Amino acid sequence: MSSTVLKIAALAGDGIGPEVMREAIRVLRAVEAKFGLTLQITAAPVGWAGIDASGQALPDATLALCRASDCILFGSVGLPDRDPTIPKEARPERAALLRLRKEFGLFANLRPVKLPRELAHACPLSLERQGAGIDILVVRELTGGMYFGQPKKTEEIPAPAGEPSRKWFRAIDTMVYTTPEIERIAHVAFRTARLRRRKLTSIDKANVLENGVLWREVVTAVSREYPDVALDHMFVDNGAMQLVLRPTQFDVLLCENMFGDILSDEAAALAGSLGMLPSASLGAATGDRVFGFYEPAGGTAPDIAGRDLANPIAQILSAALMLRHSFGLNEPAVAIESAVGQVIAAGLRTGDIYSASESGARRVGTTEMGTAIAAAIGH
Ligand code: IPM
Ligand code: MG
């Protein structure tokens, strides 16, 4: 199809990261062969793997590789047992993941949540509430809000007189958004809504937060450029409730950073398992190029790491998003998505989506799932 070399930095990270990344690469090699692509996939350590290799969660050499690549295919980082042993700022979540998001200006996080019919049993909602099917895209702002706002610190404060003597601390996080930050993520949400069912629900807490009031005003102003997209606004607490009561009302959900973090996990549970949820994090376009970062939304799951139990589908679908958004390769992306659909339809299930009561289902490990999906790509 194309002789261009597509440069991919593969950062598997910790926990189940390496084993699910292995399967994603297996599937990428299958589409490479089928569509005549040239993928240059280079692995580098990140997270605890980075700390163990060279003392930093994001080693300089890994960052240099990312800069020299077209995009990053990321696994997951952080190990709850080890994280408390080093200062907060040096831990993988902050020093690698949040730093990469900031470094590459990855402000737009897309998390598609789709429940395949065959996995209706894995969804915690009744069939009635699942309606004709759950198909939601969470658009999460990723480089602003409370996760990055300054000041961000914990400081000791004097205990008030008369209080028993012990240390008192005050923790401060700052939620801050500017008009342009809200505008650019709103444009992403409206543009993607146009490719879907043209319905956008903007989430905020405008009844309490200054940030919420500004968010609502700016999103409303941007909506005038998209008269063909139906916009409504919802407070985040109501949104969390509506997601479980009537998820079929949603098409695109636009959220600031923290609300998107929370609601995307909730939405993922509706899709059967966090192990099914891919994500794309995109920066601003420079020319015709958008730098992208692709990762499963689930974490490192250390409890099941290295045991061939993890579901590799979120990582594999993240690779499909990568082909689509970073390289404009829609056909190979669809090929991966269809292969996943075929294998699910054939009854293969990792533990997270397996139910003994489902007839025709067969429980498989990480490797067998990945191998089956790669085989379904065909030649
Ligand atoms: C996510 C994760 C991260 C986040 C953590 C690991 C920092 O929960 O990508 O949703 O909060 O953004
Ligand atoms: Mg999260």
Side-chain angles (χ1 to χ4, degrees), residues 121-122 347 349-358 361-364:
H121 68 273
R349 304 279 183 268
T350 40
D352 56 322
I353 51 175
Y354 177 78
S355 154
S357 63
E358 192 195 353
R362 192 163 66 80
R363 193 172 173 149
V364 300

Side-chain angles (χ1 to χ4, degrees), residues 116-139:
R117 286 266 35 112
E118 297 87 351
L119 294 186
H121 68 273
C123 173
L125 302 187
S126 65
L127 281 175
E128 193 191 344
R129 289 196 202 279
Q130 293 177 29
I134 298 170
D135 183 2
I136 301 171
L137 176 73
V138 179
V139 175

Side-chain angles (χ1 to χ4, degrees), residues 1-33:
M1 186 189 264
S2 142
S3 57
T4 323
V5 177
L6 311 177
K7 292 194 207 124
I8 301 162
L11 277 44
D14 309 318
I16 61 169
E19 57 202 287
V20 295
M21 180 67 81
R22 189 179 321 124
E23 299 316 312
I25 292 175
R26 192 193 304 281
V27 172
L28 280 171
R29 291 297 177 206
V31 287
E32 177 179 44

Side-chain angles (χ1 to χ4, degrees), residues 77 93-94 97-98 101 109 111 140 142 147 257 260-261 264-265 279 295-297:
V77 293
E93 284 88 342
R94 284 202 205 177
L97 188 55
L98 295 194
R101 288 175 181 169
N109 183 216
R111 298 189 163 176
R140 170 186 175 195
L142 204 59
Y147 292 16
N257 201 344
D261 186 20
S264 62
D265 269 26
S279 95
E295 63 175 328

Side-chain angles (χ1 to χ4, degrees), residues 315-326:
Q315 188 79 55
I316 291 169
L317 292 175
S318 298
L321 293 180
M322 174 185 84
L323 294 175
R324 177 175 294 127
H325 292 286
S326 278

Side-chain angles (χ1 to χ4, degrees), residues 44-161:
V46 72
W48 277 102
I51 296 171
D52 291 340
S54 57
Q56 284 175 296
L58 183 62
D60 296 342
T62 299
L63 182 58
L65 169 74
C66 294
R67 290 216 175 96
S69 304
D70 297 313
C71 61
I72 302 170
L73 185 60
F74 196 84
S76 46
V77 293
L79 295 173
D81 285 351
R82 294 184 68 185
D83 291 347
T85 64
I86 56 171
K88 296 191 281 286
E89 302 71 33
R91 291 178 199 164
E93 284 88 342
R94 284 202 205 177
L97 188 55
L98 295 194
R99 170 137 183 249
L100 280 166
R101 288 175 181 169
K102 204 63 178 177
E103 195 79 37
F104 288 95
L106 306 167
F107 69 94
N109 183 216
L110 310 181
R111 298 189 163 176
V113 174
K114 202 167 175 177
L115 175 69
R117 286 266 35 112
E118 297 87 351
L119 294 186
H121 68 273
C123 173
L125 302 187
S126 65
L127 281 175
E128 193 191 344
R129 289 196 202 279
Q130 293 177 29
I134 298 170
D135 183 2
I136 301 171
L137 176 73
V138 179
V139 175
R140 170 186 175 195
E141 200 292 328
L142 204 59
T143 50
M146 192 108 89
Y147 292 16
F148 291 95
Q150 291 298 332
K152 185 178 199 68
K153 61 179 171 186
T154 304
E155 60 195 12
E156 196 173 345
I157 54 167

Side-chain angles (χ1 to χ4, degrees), residues 13-340:
D14 309 318
I16 61 169
E19 57 202 287
V20 295
M21 180 67 81
R22 189 179 321 124
E23 299 316 312
I25 292 175
R26 192 193 304 281
V27 172
L28 280 171
R29 291 297 177 206
V31 287
E32 177 179 44
K34 175 160 175 147
F35 293 92
L37 310 173
T38 310
L39 305 181
Q40 188 187 99
I41 304 174
T42 313
V46 72
W48 277 102
I51 296 171
D52 291 340
S54 57
Q56 284 175 296
L58 183 62
D60 296 342
T62 299
L63 182 58
L65 169 74
C66 294
R67 290 216 175 96
S69 304
D70 297 313
C71 61
I72 302 170
L73 185 60
F74 196 84
S76 46
V77 293
L79 295 173
D81 285 351
R82 294 184 68 185
D83 291 347
T85 64
I86 56 171
K88 296 191 281 286
E89 302 71 33
R91 291 178 199 164
E93 284 88 342
R94 284 202 205 177
L97 188 55
L98 295 194
R99 170 137 183 249
L100 280 166
R101 288 175 181 169
K102 204 63 178 177
E103 195 79 37
F104 288 95
L106 306 167
F107 69 94
N109 183 216
L110 310 181
R111 298 189 163 176
V113 174
K114 202 167 175 177
L115 175 69
R117 286 266 35 112
E118 297 87 351
L119 294 186
H121 68 273
C123 173
L125 302 187
S126 65
L127 281 175
E128 193 191 344
R129 289 196 202 279
Q130 293 177 29
I134 298 170
D135 183 2
I136 301 171
L137 176 73
V138 179
V139 175
R140 170 186 175 195
E141 200 292 328
L142 204 59
T143 50
M146 192 108 89
Y147 292 16
F148 291 95
Q150 291 298 332
K152 185 178 199 68
K153 61 179 171 186
T154 304
E155 60 195 12
E156 196 173 345
I157 54 167
E163 287 292 332
S165 98
R166 64 186 166 96
K167 282 178 182 279
W168 278 44
F169 292 95
R170 173 166 65 187
I172 300 174
D173 294 283
T174 305
M175 186 169 190
V176 51
Y177 272 107
T178 61
T179 302
E181 283 178 300
I182 303 170
E183 281 169 351
R184 64 180 184 177
I185 191 70
H187 281 291
V188 170
F190 280 105
R191 284 199 303 264
T192 31
R194 275 188 169 158
L195 305 173
R196 298 171 48 99
R197 302 191 300 280
R198 295 176 185 251
K199 184 162 187 276
L200 178 61
T201 305
S202 176
I203 299 290
D204 62 46
K205 189 71 184 170
N207 50 347
V208 178
L209 301 178
E210 293 293 318
N211 269 272
V213 175
L214 183 64
W215 185 272
R216 194 171 280 220
E217 276 170 19
V218 174
V219 172
T220 304
V222 170
S223 75
R224 296 192 188 106
E225 293 177 45
Y226 303 87
D228 52 319
V229 176
L231 168 69
D232 64 347
H233 302 274
M234 208 178 263
F235 295 139
V236 61
D237 46 353
N238 183 31
M241 181 175 74
Q242 293 298 330
L243 263 178
V244 293
L245 288 182
R246 212 162 54 82
T248 52
Q249 71 187 284
F250 296 116
D251 177 15
V252 177
L253 272 179
L254 168 60
C255 310
E256 64 85 45
N257 201 344
M258 181 170 63
F259 297 161
D261 186 20
I262 298 168
L263 294 189
S264 62
D265 269 26
E266 186 186 358
L270 302 181
S273 162
L274 258 184
M276 302 287 295
L277 188 67
S279 95
S281 305
L282 308 174
T286 41
D288 60 356
R289 213 184 107 115
V290 172
F291 193 85
F293 177 101
Y294 304 88
E295 63 175 328
T300 50
D303 51 323
I304 58 164
R307 296 164 55 198
D308 198 38
L309 291 173
N311 186 345
I313 292 180
Q315 188 79 55
I316 291 169
L317 292 175
S318 298
L321 293 180
M322 174 185 84
L323 294 175
R324 177 175 294 127
H325 292 286
S326 278
F327 304 121
L329 294 167
N330 199 50
E331 215 190 319
V334 170
I336 294 180
E337 288 158 354
S338 320
V340 168

